[in-house]
Structure formats: C-alpha cells, structure tokens
Amino acid sequence: MRKKLAQHVFRLSTIETISLNLALLAVYVLFGKLGLLFASVNPSATAIWAPTGIALGSLLLFGYRVTPAIYIGAFIVNLTTSGTIETSLAIALGNTLEGIVATFLINKFANGIRAFSSISNIFKFVFFSAVLGTAISATIGTSTLILGGYAVVANFQPIWFTWWLGDMGGAMIVAPLLLVWSQNFKIHFSFKKALYFSFSFLCLLFLTILVFSGIFPYVYFLMPFAIWVALTFEYRGATLSNFVVALIAIYFTLHGIGPFTRFRSTNDALLLLQMFLGVFSITSLAFAAVVSINKKNTQAIQSSDERFKALLENSFDAFVLIDATSRITYASPSVKNVLGYTPKELEGTIGFNLVIPEDRAFTVKELAKLVLKPGGTITIEYRVMRKDKQIIWTQATGTNLLLDPLVNAVVVNFRDITERKSQEEEIKKNEKRFRSLVEKSGQGIALLDKKGKIIYMTTTITELLGYTQEEYEKKGNSLMHPDDRKSVEKKSKEILNHPGASVSLQYRILHKNGTYRWFDVLVTNLLDDEALHAYVVNFRDITDIKNIEEEVREEKIEDEAMLNSIGEGVIATDKDGRIAIANHIACKLTGWTEKELIGQSLVKAVPMTDENGEKIAIKDRPLTKVLMRGKKTANSKSIYYTRKDGTKFPVQLTLTPIILEDEVVGTIEVFRDITEEKQIEKTKNEFVSLASHQLRTPLATINWYVEELLAAKKDLGTKNAHYLDQVYVASHRMVGLINALLNTSRLELGTFAVEPKDIDFVESISQVIKDLTGGVKEKQITLKKDYKKSLPISADPKLLGILIQNLLSNAVKYSKPKGTVTIKLSHNKDGYTFSVKDNGCGIPASQEDKIFSKLFRADNARSLDPDGSGLGLYIVKSILDAVGGKVWFESVENKGTTFFLSLPAAGMKQKKGERQLH
Amino acid sequence: MNVDETKKIVLIIEDEPPMLHILFDKLSESGFAVLQAKDGQEGLDTALAKHPDLILLDVLMPHMDGMTVLSKLREDDWGKNVPVILLTNVSPDGNDVIQSIVKTQPAYYFVKSDIKLESIVEKIHEVLSSAS
C-alpha cells in the first residue's frame, strides 16, 4: 500500500508541506465561508459545500499530509460561523474524517487519483466520497449541533440531509474537477478542436442559463449537451461543464429563479438542485469515462497493431490472413516481394487460386485439418504461381486464430524457398544418379565359406548374369570362361591360408544369354573374422569398361596408323615448344628416333638454316612466332632442316597453333622434304632458260632482216612497209616475252646477281625512253619529265633499267591515245622515289591485290593488249624485294594509274648471284 | 677478197649463216672491210692470221665456243688487246661465264635479240674510235 501511495504522492520538504497546508487552508476557509453564506436550515449546514471537494481532491493529490490544513480550515470556518470551540472542533473532525475515509477507500479500492480510468472506479469514487464520506461528516456535524444545543433533534433529518447533499455536491463536482485538471492541465487542442469545444461549451452554457433563469425550465434538455461535451472532451470537458453548470444553477436558484425554486424554500430548491447536479455530474463523468477508456483502448490496440504490422512488413516473410474458406482478408505488403501481387490485389481473393493445380488438393486438405484445430499450427511446402507466371516454391506456416477475437483468421506466414528447393532437388537428383550408378555398375557382394560354398549373395547377381541365386549356386564355377580358370585358381591359392589377405581377379562368366561378361573380383580372406567367418567376394561387371578400353586401344592404334601413314612429318609441341608427338615420317626426315625427339625443344633438336646455310635464330623460327602470335604460318622462303647427321634438306612446313580458350596450348607442324621439288623446279627453270635462248636466235635474225628491209622502205610500197612494221613489232614483243620468262626463272632460282655501281638515275631513265619501242609515237603520247638533270645512285644498271622499263612501257601501253605519261623522280634522306603516272585504263579495284603476282593480267589490260606477258610487275616486285626497295600504286579505273617505286638512300644492296637479268 | 686499206677490218665469227649474212651485208654497207668465220676454230685462226681491228664473236658455236676463242685470243700478244664485241643469244648465266668475261674483257656483251643491227654498227664505231 505504501508503495502504491508512493507512486502518485509527491515527495515534499517540510517547508513545502507547510506552505501547501497554508495555501490549502486559505482556499478551504474561503470556499467554506462562501458556502455557509447560503446556509439556511442551520448556519453550519449549507447546501453548497465546496470544501468537501477541495479536501478530498487535495488528500488524493497530496496525501494525508494536508490533513492539518483541512482540519484547521474546517475548525476556523465553523468557529467563525456559530458554536463553541468544542462544537467547531467536532464538526471540523467530521469534515476531516469525511475526506480521510473517502481518500483511504478510494486509494484502496478505486485506483486513487486514477479512479476515472474505469467506469466501475467512477462509481466507487462517487460511492466512497459522495455517499459514505459525506455521511460521516453529516452525521458528526448534525449530532454535534444537536448535542451542542444549536439544533433540535426534530431537525436532525433536514439538517443531516442538507449537510450530506451539500458535501456531496463538493465531492462530486469540485473533487473531480481538481483531480482531472491537476493531472491533465496541459491543453493541446487544435484550432479546429478548440473552436468545436468553445461552440459546444457555449451551447451548454447558453442552455444552462436559459434553463435556470426560468425562461426554458426543462433541466433534462441539458443532458444531451452535457453528454456531448463529455463525449467530445472527456473528463476535462465533463468536470468543467459540471462545475460551470453548478455555478450558474446555484446562482439562479439562490436568487429564487429557475426550475427548482417554485413552491419551495431556497434550501429545498438547493437540495433539489444538488440532487440534480449529482445525477448530472455522474452521468457526464460516466460518459466521459466511456469515451476516454474506449479511446485509450483504441490507442493501445492501434499501437500494438502498428507494432505488429511493422514487424510483419519488415520481416523477410510475407503473410496473409485468411478466413476458413481461404479468402484473403489481409495481405502484408511483403507479399509483393514474394508473389508479385500488391496486397490490394490479393485481399478478397481465394488464397488457393495462387497455388498451382498440382498442389491445390493437398493444401486444401491441410487447411481443412487446421481449421478444425483452433490454435493449431502447420507448416507445408507447396508451389504458387507469381503474378509474372513464374512458379516458386513456398514454405507456409499456418496458425489457426479463427477463434481469437482479435484476429479471427488463419494466419499464413510464407516465404520463397525456391532456391533451397532447387538445391534439394539437385541433391536428390545426384543421389538418384549415384544410386543408379551403383545399381547399374553392377556391384555385388558374396560371402563364401571355407569350402567355397555361397553363404550369402546380393541379389545383384540376377541383374548381372540373369540367373536366380539358386541357379547360380548350382552352376557355380562351371560358368567361368575356360581360358580364365587356370589363372584364377592359381591366384586364389595365394589367399587360401592367409587370413586378412586379398586377391584381385579379372575373369569372364557366362551370362544366361550365352555371352561372357567380364568381372572384376576382389576376394578377401576373412575366415578368421569373428563376425563373418567367410571369404568376402566383391564383384562388379566391367564388361563395358573392358569394351571401352578395347575401343580406346583400337582408336590409339588407328591414330598411330594414321599419323604414320601420313606422308609428311608431323610434330606436335606443347606451349613451350617441346615435342609431344612426332610421327614416323618426322623421325625419318630428321634422323632422330621418336624417343629421342619427345620432350625435346623442337627448335633445339632440329636446327633450321636459310638458303645461304646460315642458322636461323630461335626468335625467328616459325615455331616461336606461332607460339607467340597464335597464327597459322607456312614458310615462303627457302628453309632447311638439319638432320641428326648434320646434313640439310629443304623443307616446306605448315605450323598451326592449337588454341584452347584463346590461349595457345601447343602447335602442330606438318613438314616435308622438298629436295625433289626443288630439283624439279630447277630443271624446269633451266629448261625454260635454254629454250628461251634457243628462241632468241631466230628472233634476232628476223629482227635484223626486217630492220634492213625497213631501212629501205621506199622500195617496198606503203602496204608492204606497213606489213613489215607489224612483223617487226610482233617479233619484238616475242623478244620481250622471252626476256621476261628468263628473268622470271632467274628470279625464282634466286640466282640473279645485284651488282651496284655508281650511276646516274636520270641517265638510266633517258636510256629507257630512248629504247622504248612502239607506242609513244604511234599513240602520240606526251612524256612529261619531272626531275633534275642528274641524280646519282648506287644501283645495278641493268636491274634499274628493267624497273624503269617495265613501269614506263606499261604506262605507255595502257595510256589512251594522245595521253600524257608523267615521270617523276625525287630524292630525300629516306631514299629515291620514282613514279610513272598515266591517264590510262587504270586497275580494277577488285584486282589490285593481284597485280604483282606472276602471270596475272588485269581484265582490262588483257583486252587492251592481249600479248602482254603478265610478268613485268612480278619482275619489278621481285627485284625490289631483293634489293630492299618497294613498289606500290594508286589507281582509279578509267582515270589512270601511278606506279611508285622507292629505293633506299644507300641504293641497291649488293647480292651475289650467278646470273644477271635482262 | 679485196681489202681496202683505209677501211677498218671487222671479223665476224658466227655459226648461223643467216646471221652471218646479214651482219656481213650491214657492216659492208657501213664501210667496213668484213671477214667472216663459220665456227670458233676458223674464227680464231682467221683472227690470228689477219689481225682484224675488231671481232664480233658469237658464243655458242661448234668446234670451239666463243668464250674459248676469246680466252685463246687473249693469250696472244696481238690478241690480248683486240676489241671484241660478244654477240650472243645466251645471257651471261653462271659464274663461269661472268668470271671469264671479267678475265677476257670484251668491249661489249650483247644479246642479239635485244640489240638493233644499227646499234651494233654504232657500237663498232664507238669502240674503234676509242681504241685508236
């Protein structure tokens, strides 16, 4: 109890207590004297006694420490009113006891100052304070007055009643006002609410005045307004309106106006008023209590509801409330994450619609079970279809709260477990696979006794061999392949007398279908094992493995046969260039055995030289380049491999990188000895050379004779002279063709020499122009010369002449009649650039890349000059390649072509060779 | 055969009759005293006997090829300085040929099909004028 009091009783210092008492004393005396002003039945008994309320309120608020103020206050009021010190002391005692008893009872049974938190406490409050407490005061007070001789016994009843009702008014109107407003002093109305309060309060005020002023004397009209104020503004509204109504009512009643004043004395009227005010007060308090309690409850529910919602909405799970028919009454926002639907889309729908048809029946059944089990919980897993038609696995926990008044639903909490499910599925699948693997791998175990009789055998024997266990036992060892018997018997003996030893056997057993199956058998001697006393035989069918092994072996043989039947050397290397495979031919060509080659670095094991016999550095080896660049390559220049014995052979090779995931992991080199081809090529070229020489003699003869005839043109006649001209031109063309052929064969043999001399480039050009046969004059071509008078160069005069001649004759040949051929020559620190520009037919774009190849002639060139050799530009290019120059061109079809050739500043590189070009 | 004393003497050693014929005609017309020989041996003999001012020498010939003729000539006191124009249809292929050319110092080496008859005459004039 102390504890309980301590909860709402302030701790005060002595001075504060005294000050409080003094203040209270003053208030008490003031209101006491005011009240007694209206005393009529007896000076000490008034119908309006506010101090009861003040006393009760302050006792409840401040505790019993204010007792002195109440007692002294009551004593002073009474003493100054009428009677002696004794009577005043007694009456004051009654007044004080009234408050103390009521306070005690209220604190104990009606939740003290929080009495207004429930309706029952309000009635307790009214009973303890307004009925019981006041009765004490009235009884003691009236008795004292009679005993003191201030009243007659006959008047006991009206005095007591007046006293009692007067105190009751104080208890019911003043005490609640003090209690309520002291605890809830702060007003934080909104403007709107303040306006509303003012309006309703003013309405009540106005009506009260109307009623009590007698203009409209129907008190019961006040009730709806009092209730309105109470409902709207609860205790504070109720207590305040009670107080104000009481003040107005008392004022008018005292003045003899109002509904209670007719036919009665002021005291009677006041008593009637007090009764009315009591009823009025308790009604409005009760309504305030209802609203307040309801509001509090609502708030409590709301806040816990909010918490609950927040919890669920923030949780990983989604949740729905469904009724017994699975209709969704509420869906948490997180359903959007799980199902793709918004809560609104789901609310009102049947929950089972989300479940995929295959799982619907069982979920319906589970829900039915749950519905029959109030408070029960189930957890099931099923699939639902999301809004996006994706099917997901969910795990749902349903709790039956249909009978819970707060919920009235089945709470279904669910989450997406698709990932987990798929993992499970994966595991299951693996397990299944594994099991089937074991089953299909055809393993089995048998236990044999000392004599080899089967004690136990797994049923797999039937699957493996087609026999029932009995059949197999009967046939026993007779099923073993005859070829395997000896070795099996021999090996089995090894473990006969060796407990713990085991032997591995492989042999064939006749299947019921007449074929032999290979078995891998492990026999362990566990005769000494206390639990087994047997040979343990683990067996498995390895026929398939045997077959595969056989296939692999055959394949390998095939591969080898293929590799070895290839007529070319094949060497495969790893990414470091070490030889991994070398076929028979590769060994034969290089002179090394396969064993010697494998594991060796190819570039070290097989040295490579160029045509001059100089060793090619490792960095320049095709293999190195392929490994670094990852591009297929074939040699274009002559290269030679060195055999084990040091001899060399010319080789044609193709190197292909093996690329795995963008990385070169190795190479395959295919190569062959081209000695013979080289010989054939040489013979061919020699033949061409010889044939060409022989052809020259008759041509030279024809030329010279024709020259002589032409020199005597006038004797021939115009027509004949013209014919002879044609003969001469054709003959010369033939000479040019033969020369080109000869040059080509020399270039290809690589035997031509380059012998630079200090010459004049310009002089060489002039020489070529002078020797130009045909074309320039006939076609009336203008030659534009764009160069200085002389330009020294170190060059082979013949080769330079061939270069200039080819470009110049081409330009003339392909120029249009009356065209212009521009010859340019320039020189700077980088070298010489010579160009010949024509305005002829040009080179078709599609054929530009072939223009320098042997025997190639552009389509339009062929139609212009069907007799061209197709060798000229090839020769130019070959010469320039050999002497360190370049040739290129710019061309627009039908507009013209410019050929450029460049030579290094140092001129032509010297090259030893057997032959010169013409 | 009359030889004009003021005329320069040119010996043609050529096994092909049509070639020999046209060369003979052309050089004669051009004012030379022309001697002819139909093979290498005959040519060498004629040269050593007649000491021509210039020799036109074919290379591929029966009995003795032109290079041999030239080598032998160069062994002779008179022959070592006589101007010789090699007139052939063989390109100077092979090191042997080139080396012997370097050794025997012909004035020119012409491929017949590449040179005009007129040019041969010009070259003869050129060689003779520089030699005298």
Side-chain angles (χ1 to χ4, degrees):
Chain A
M1 176 121 90
R2 269 211 174 157
K3 253 187 188 170
K4 212 171 177 185
L5 287 173
Q7 278 174 356
H8 55 84
V9 171
F10 316 94
R11 293 200 172 281
L12 294 172
S13 65
T14 319
I15 295 167
E16 281 169 333
T17 309
I18 291 165
S19 312
L20 181 67
N21 272 297
L22 286 172
L24 188 59
L25 177 66
V27 174
Y28 193 94
V29 172
L30 179 68
F31 279 94
K33 289 304 273 184
L34 268 172
L36 286 175
L37 282 179
F38 309 110
S40 55
V41 284
N42 187 285
S44 302
T46 175
I48 298 169
W49 187 245
T52 302
I54 294 166
L56 180 61
S58 42
L59 278 168
L60 281 167
L61 282 171
F62 306 116
Y64 300 109
R65 62 183 146 217
V66 295
T67 311
I70 294 162
Y71 187 75
I72 295 165
F75 173 72
I76 291 169
V77 171
N78 280 297
L79 191 67
T80 55
T81 305
S82 66
T84 60
I85 292 172
E86 290 80 22
T87 56
S88 296
L89 280 174
I91 292 167
L93 183 68
N95 287 339
T96 310
L97 267 177
E98 168 193 68
I100 286 174
V101 169
T103 300
F104 175 78
L105 288 171
I106 288 164
N107 271 338
K108 183 151 186 170
F109 301 108
N111 207 11
I113 57 167
R114 290 188 230 287
F116 299 101
S117 59
S118 86
I119 294 174
S120 61
N121 283 340
I122 288 174
F123 283 101
K124 281 180 199 163
F125 177 89
V126 169
F127 179 73
F128 294 143
S129 64
V131 181
L132 219 62
T134 48
I136 293 169
S137 175
T139 308
I140 292 176
T142 311
S143 307
T144 306
L145 287 177
I146 290 167
L147 288 172
Y150 295 98
V152 293
V153 180
N155 272 348
F156 184 87
Q157 192 266 336
I159 294 170
W160 188 90
F161 202 63
T162 302
W163 198 301
W164 184 60
L165 281 177
D167 283 12
M168 188 188 275
M172 286 179 65
I173 291 166
V174 179
L177 184 76
L178 288 175
L179 284 172
V180 168
W181 283 86
S182 68
Q183 286 178 80
N184 287 297
F185 192 73
K186 276 185 191 161
I187 296 166
H188 34 75
F189 286 165
S190 64
F191 176 73
K192 201 174 150 193
K193 206 169 175 190
L195 210 66
Y196 184 50
F197 173 75
S198 311
F199 177 70
S200 57
F201 198 76
L202 283 172
C203 282
L204 179 65
L205 214 63
F206 181 67
L207 193 68
T208 310
I209 292 167
L210 275 183
V211 169
F212 285 99
S213 63
I215 298 165
F216 183 72
Y218 309 106
V219 286
Y220 42 86
F221 272 103
L222 290 173
M223 292 314 291
F225 287 90
I227 291 166
W228 180 25
V229 172
L231 288 178
T232 317
F233 305 101
E234 298 163 49
Y235 292 118
R236 285 188 291 182
T239 51
L240 189 66
S241 60
N242 286 349
F243 184 68
V244 173
V245 168
L247 283 184
I248 295 166
I250 289 166
Y251 174 81
F252 282 109
T253 307
L254 283 174
H255 285 81
I257 307 163
F260 300 111
T261 54
R262 277 181 294 173
F263 324 115
R264 297 231 159 73
S265 68
T266 306
N267 196 55
D268 286 349
L270 283 175
L271 286 176
L272 280 173
L273 176 65
Q274 286 296 9
M275 279 193 280
F276 164 74
L277 289 176
V279 174
F280 183 82
S281 168
I282 198 165
T283 307
S284 95
L285 278 176
F287 274 101
V290 168
V291 173
S292 174
I293 290 160
N294 197 25
K295 199 168 159 188
K296 259 185 199 160
N297 287 343
T298 313
Q299 268 173 356
I301 288 165
Q302 264 175 0
S303 68
S304 76
D305 216 34
E306 291 297 314
R307 260 202 309 273
F308 186 51
K309 267 191 191 173
L311 198 72
L312 287 164
E313 282 161 15
N314 292 323
S315 78
F316 177 70
D317 292 3
F319 106 108
V320 293
L321 298 182
I322 57 173
D323 63 16
T325 63
S326 125
R327 191 173 295 280
I328 295 168
T329 54
Y330 171 83
S332 69
S334 44
V335 294
K336 180 100 170 86
N337 303 332
V338 181
L339 298 173
Y341 291 100
T342 62
K344 277 214 172 137
E345 286 173 316
L346 289 180
E347 278 162 14
T349 65
I350 299 292
F352 288 122
N353 289 346
L354 297 165
V355 181
I356 66 162
E358 293 96 309
D359 291 353
R360 217 169 273 167
F362 111 89
T363 48
V364 169
K365 215 167 99 188
E366 290 295 327
L367 180 70
K369 274 196 237 165
L370 181 66
V371 168
L372 295 174
K373 214 166 73 184
T377 296
I378 53 158
T379 297
I380 53 174
E381 286 169 9
Y382 54 87
R383 285 160 291 178
V384 298
M385 189 186 273
R386 282 170 54 91
K387 196 180 182 181
D388 58 14
K389 306 284 177 221
Q390 194 193 331
I391 291 171
I392 57 162
W393 271 100
T394 56
Q395 182 190 56
T397 301
T399 308
N400 180 350
L401 296 176
L402 285 166
L403 296 185
D404 186 320
L406 288 172
V407 182
N408 263 323
V410 174
V411 180
V412 183
N413 216 314
F414 58 96
R415 65 169 75 182
D416 185 347
I417 55 159
T418 311
E419 207 170 306
R420 198 196 78 199
K421 269 278 171 187
S422 67
Q423 280 167 2
E424 279 176 9
E425 288 287 306
E426 197 58 34
I427 290 165
K428 265 189 203 162
K429 229 192 269 170
N430 282 342
E431 222 176 72
K432 222 177 181 178
R433 210 180 292 147
F434 180 68
R435 192 169 298 150
S436 77
L437 209 68
V438 170
E439 278 163 9
K440 282 184 185 155
S441 75
Q443 294 204 348
I445 294 174
L447 299 179
L448 308 179
D449 69 6
K450 227 185 276 179
K451 286 172 189 163
K453 208 183 155 227
I454 298 165
I455 306 167
Y456 164 80
M457 186 184 268
T458 51
T459 52
T460 43
I461 195 74
T462 313
E463 290 159 30
L464 295 174
L465 289 166
Y467 306 106
T468 64
Q469 215 158 326
E470 283 169 6
E471 281 172 338
Y472 183 77
E473 276 175 42
K474 254 184 219 167
K475 303 209 172 176
N477 283 346
S478 69
L479 292 169
M480 194 186 292
H481 195 286
D483 292 356
D484 298 335
R485 261 175 221 168
K486 266 193 181 170
S487 67
V488 168
E489 272 168 31
K490 195 178 154 196
K491 276 198 161 179
S492 301
K493 277 179 189 161
E494 289 174 18
I495 58 161
L496 217 57
N497 295 312
H498 294 88
S502 63
V503 63
S504 176
L505 306 163
Q506 282 192 2
Y507 56 86
R508 283 159 287 180
I509 301 175
L510 189 65
H511 191 279
K512 204 175 180 181
N513 67 14
T515 62
Y516 276 99
R517 306 286 299 174
W518 271 102
F519 276 83
D520 186 15
V521 181
L522 182 77
V523 187
T524 312
N525 182 344
L526 292 174
L527 289 169
D528 278 11
D529 187 289
E530 284 183 8
L532 288 168
H533 294 298
Y535 289 106
V536 176
V537 184
N538 294 80
F539 56 91
R540 70 190 170 107
D541 187 332
I542 55 161
T543 314
D544 293 342
I545 297 169
K546 276 266 176 189
N547 287 342
I548 290 166
E549 276 175 5
E550 190 62 28
E551 265 171 43
V552 168
R553 213 172 52 182
E554 275 168 20
E555 251 168 51
K556 208 178 166 192
I557 291 167
E558 270 171 34
D559 284 351
E560 265 165 30
M562 203 171 72
L563 271 178
N564 287 329
S565 64
I566 293 171
E568 297 179 317
V570 177
I571 288 178
T573 74
D574 62 15
K575 66 178 191 326
D576 301 318
R578 271 193 291 270
I579 299 166
I581 297 170
N583 75 342
H584 176 63
I585 303 289
C587 297
K588 205 169 134 189
L589 288 175
T590 57
W592 299 94
T593 65
E594 192 183 339
K595 267 192 184 171
E596 286 169 328
L597 284 177
I598 288 184
Q600 296 287 316
S601 162
L602 174 59
V603 290
K604 282 180 186 160
V606 190
M608 190 182 273
T609 51
D610 65 14
E611 55 188 319
N612 297 324
E614 282 170 40
K615 204 174 163 183
I616 295 172
I618 289 173
K619 71 173 171 57
D620 296 327
R621 289 281 294 256
L623 179 70
T624 315
K625 289 178 180 172
V626 168
L627 283 172
M628 278 170 65
R629 292 178 201 156
K631 277 187 186 161
K632 185 177 172 169
T633 185
N635 63 315
S636 52
K637 288 181 184 169
S638 299
I639 52 170
Y640 295 78
Y641 264 161
T642 309
R643 296 191 186 90
K644 189 182 178 182
D645 62 11
T647 57
K648 290 165 188 167
F649 64 98
V651 68
Q652 174 66 48
L653 60 81
T654 306
L655 258 168
T656 312
I658 304 167
I659 296 171
L660 263 182
E661 288 167 5
D662 293 337
E663 232 175 275
V664 179
V665 295
T667 65
I668 290 179
E669 176 175 321
V670 178
F671 65 101
R672 62 197 161 91
D673 181 348
I674 54 166
T675 308
E676 229 166 279
E677 287 164 51
K678 282 233 158 190
Q679 193 54 53
I680 291 167
E681 186 78 10
K682 200 175 169 192
T683 311
K684 183 199 83 185
N685 282 316
E686 277 168 359
F687 168 76
V688 169
S689 177
L690 193 72
S692 310
H693 287 138
Q694 296 304 324
L695 284 169
R696 275 172 167 171
T697 305
L699 283 173
T701 309
I702 294 168
N703 284 352
W704 289 352
Y705 276 88
V706 173
E707 277 167 26
E708 285 305 290
L709 282 173
L710 286 172
K713 255 184 189 172
K714 55 183 187 294
D715 300 335
L716 289 172
T718 326
K719 199 175 175 188
N720 288 344
H722 177 67
Y723 288 171
L724 211 53
D725 262 334
Q726 293 305 312
V727 172
Y728 191 64
V729 168
S731 177
H732 258 282
R733 198 172 275 163
M734 185 74 106
V735 170
L737 192 59
I738 288 166
N739 285 345
L741 277 172
L742 278 171
N743 285 339
T744 306
S745 75
R746 270 175 217 128
L747 286 165
E748 287 181 354
L749 282 169
T751 52
F752 75 99
V754 181
E755 290 169 352
K757 289 175 190 163
D758 290 329
I759 56 166
D760 185 352
F761 206 139
V762 175
E763 177 62 39
S764 295
I765 297 170
S766 304
Q767 188 62 48
V768 172
I769 291 170
K770 200 172 135 198
D771 289 346
L772 270 180
T773 52
V776 183
K777 266 186 203 162
E778 288 87 338
K779 290 169 93 174
Q780 292 178 287
I781 285 166
T782 314
L783 287 179
K784 270 176 81 179
K785 298 165 190 175
D786 184 2
Y787 42 83
K788 292 174 192 165
K789 279 192 175 160
S790 84
L791 183 62
I793 183 171
S794 169
D796 185 309
K798 277 195 172 144
L799 293 179
L800 188 60
I802 289 170
L803 295 173
I804 298 165
Q805 198 271 334
N806 269 298
L807 295 186
L808 212 51
S809 64
N810 272 351
V812 171
K813 200 189 291 179
Y814 300 117
S815 270
K816 288 169 185 154
K818 293 184 183 175
T820 305
V821 170
T822 311
I823 307 161
K824 263 190 192 174
L825 175 64
S826 62
H827 172 251
N828 60 25
K829 64 178 168 57
D830 295 325
Y832 302 86
T833 307
F834 171 76
S835 70
V836 180
K837 182 183 174 187
D838 67 56
N839 48 11
C841 60
I843 298 164
S846 61
Q847 298 179 332
E848 283 181 354
D849 55 337
K850 293 185 198 146
I851 208 77
F852 294 110
S853 44
K854 184 164 67 170
L855 297 174
F856 176 81
R857 301 195 64 222
D859 296 341
N860 52 356
R862 204 173 296 224
S863 60
L864 265 175
D865 177 24
D867 299 329
S869 67
L871 290 169
L873 288 171
Y874 172 69
I875 290 165
V876 169
K877 174 105 168 67
S878 302
I879 291 171
L880 287 166
D881 283 348
V883 303
K886 275 181 195 160
V887 59
W888 70 96
F889 65 89
E890 288 165 3
S891 181
V892 180
E893 206 175 344
N894 293 324
K895 284 269 171 73
T897 307
T898 308
F899 272 93
F900 300 85
L901 69 82
S902 71
L903 284 165
M908 291 184 182
K909 283 189 289 189
Q910 182 160 14
K911 179 175 177 289
K912 281 183 183 169
E914 295 178 347
R915 296 177 169 106
Q916 286 183 314
L917 298 184
H918 287 264
Chain B
M1 195 180 283
N2 288 320
V3 176
D4 191 330
E5 301 249 327
T6 61
K7 283 181 180 174
K8 296 282 182 184
I9 303 166
V10 177
L11 169 62
I12 308 167
I13 307 172
E14 170 63 69
D15 64 321
E16 288 272 334
M19 295 238 116
L20 184 60
H21 191 97
I22 190 77
L23 282 169
F24 182 86
D25 282 2
K26 183 69 184 176
L27 296 186
S28 301
E29 279 168 28
S30 304
F32 295 105
V34 186
L35 300 171
Q36 23 184 345
K38 286 190 284 295
D39 62 56
Q41 187 59 58
E42 193 192 328
L44 180 63
D45 294 346
T46 311
L48 293 174
K50 306 279 174 140
H51 287 192
D53 296 297
L54 184 143
I55 301 170
L56 285 182
L57 179 60
D58 189 13
V59 173
L60 284 178
M61 287 181 295
H63 305 306
M64 185 185 285
D65 68 58
M67 293 316 291
T68 313
V69 172
L70 185 51
S71 308
K72 299 229 176 210
L73 272 177
R74 293 301 186 221
E75 289 164 14
D76 182 75
D77 272 354
W78 164 82
K80 66 183 173 198
N81 290 317
V82 66
V84 175
I85 293 176
L86 284 171
L87 202 57
T88 175
N89 268 328
V90 182
S91 303
D93 287 350
N95 282 326
D96 298 352
V97 178
I98 291 164
Q99 273 167 19
S100 71
I101 287 171
V102 170
K103 209 169 98 191
T104 57
Q105 295 288 314
Y108 281 105
Y109 185 115
F110 289 124
V111 172
K112 290 175 195 166
S113 59
D114 291 350
I115 189 162
K116 289 179 184 176
L117 212 48
E118 194 59 46
S119 303
I120 297 172
V121 177
E122 282 169 23
K123 291 292 172 189
I124 293 170
H125 281 302
E126 180 197 314
V127 171
L128 286 175
S129 64
S130 64
S132 56

